[in-house]
Amino acid sequence: MLSFTRLVQGVNVSAVTDPLVWEHVQPAAARRLLTGAVDAFAERGFEATTTRDIASRAGMSPAALYVHYPSKERLLFEISLYGHNAALEVLRSADTGATPADRLRSLVAAFTAWHARHHTIARVVQYELAALSPEHLAEVATIRRAISSQIEQVLADGVQAGEFAVRDLPGTTLAVLSLSIDVARWYTPHRGDPAALGQLYADLAHRMVQA
């Protein structure tokens, strides 16, 4: 049985939904099932999606799914783990700048643009968490805490430097993250350029915390 939960390192996370990114998922049948699951979960939600739906999108029989994945939930876990790791890597790569304000703007711009460019997988990983098993949810939650910490540290640095006025650090961290994450819920390509949207949200986030 194939799993790609440990294969995030070295993957081009700037194009998570590009079919080429999934080339490391072998055999091809497993890859088709995976991409079919992403589309089905994003369109219908986890609970409303059947294994038949996923197999049909992959051009396979429902029984063939179990050759590669033990359950529908396992597919969701693989997608969720990969997507969260990709988003975390985007944040870590974007944490650059001479000041906390520069760093915050860079982080929010990159995180927002990623959720727009990859709104299909982002919609799945952000809004289907409740369907994960407790064990799998705990593993994903560790990555989510690392994502939150990336933003919270920049906010804390800004407060210490006198650049930001933040009374509730955890609450403000959640608010800043929510700006970017919610993009996956409503974004479609005709809603504008992801990079431009990222810059807009970077401006908004900075205004939220300016001293």
Side-chain angles (χ1 to χ4, degrees), residues 106-192:
S106 179
L107 286 168
V108 173
F111 202 51
T112 301
W114 187 86
H115 279 81
R117 290 190 183 100
H118 310 300
H119 54 276
T120 304
I121 190 172
R123 193 174 301 143
V124 175
V125 304
Q126 295 292 353
Y127 295 106
E128 299 296 337
L129 287 171
L132 292 172
S133 69
E135 178 184 359
H136 288 162
L137 180 59
E139 190 164 347
V140 170
T142 299
I143 307 168
R144 290 176 71 86
R145 286 192 293 271
I147 289 172
S148 295
S149 295
Q150 199 77 30
I151 296 294
E152 186 167 335
Q153 184 60 59
V154 173
L155 293 176
D157 292 345
V159 171
Q160 185 174 13
E163 294 185 29
F164 300 158
V166 178
R167 293 184 179 179
D168 180 348
L169 195 56
T172 304
T173 298
L174 180 59
V176 170
L177 286 169
S178 295
L179 280 174
S180 300
I181 289 170
D182 193 56
V183 167
R185 180 182 57 82
W186 56 262
Y187 185 83
T188 53
H190 76 275
R191 301 297 289 271

Side-chain angles (χ1 to χ4, degrees), residues 73-128:
E73 189 273 341
R74 179 69 189 198
L75 270 167
L76 177 63
F77 173 60
E78 298 284 357
I79 294 164
S80 186
L81 196 61
Y82 185 77
H84 277 90
N85 271 310
L88 175 59
E89 183 58 32
V90 164
L91 276 178
R92 286 175 171 168
S93 297
D95 194 356
T96 60
T99 68
D102 291 340
R103 291 166 59 204
L104 178 65
R105 292 173 61 85
S106 179
L107 286 168
V108 173
F111 202 51
T112 301
W114 187 86
H115 279 81
R117 290 190 183 100
H118 310 300
H119 54 276
T120 304
I121 190 172
R123 193 174 301 143
V124 175
V125 304
Q126 295 292 353
Y127 295 106
E128 299 296 337

Side-chain angles (χ1 to χ4, degrees), residues 24-103:
H24 60 281
V25 179
Q26 299 293 337
R31 183 166 65 251
R32 293 200 307 271
L33 287 165
L34 187 78
T35 56
V38 171
D39 290 339
F41 293 156
E43 179 183 322
R44 307 188 63 178
F46 178 84
E47 294 299 338
T49 297
T50 65
T51 54
R52 184 176 296 276
D53 293 330
I54 297 169
S56 176
R57 290 170 189 259
M60 300 165 66
S61 69
L65 185 149
Y66 298 104
V67 174
H68 304 283
Y69 300 97
S71 67
K72 185 176 70 167
E73 189 273 341
R74 179 69 189 198
L75 270 167
L76 177 63
F77 173 60
E78 298 284 357
I79 294 164
S80 186
L81 196 61
Y82 185 77
H84 277 90
N85 271 310
L88 175 59
E89 183 58 32
V90 164
L91 276 178
R92 286 175 171 168
S93 297
D95 194 356
T96 60
T99 68
D102 291 340
R103 291 166 59 204

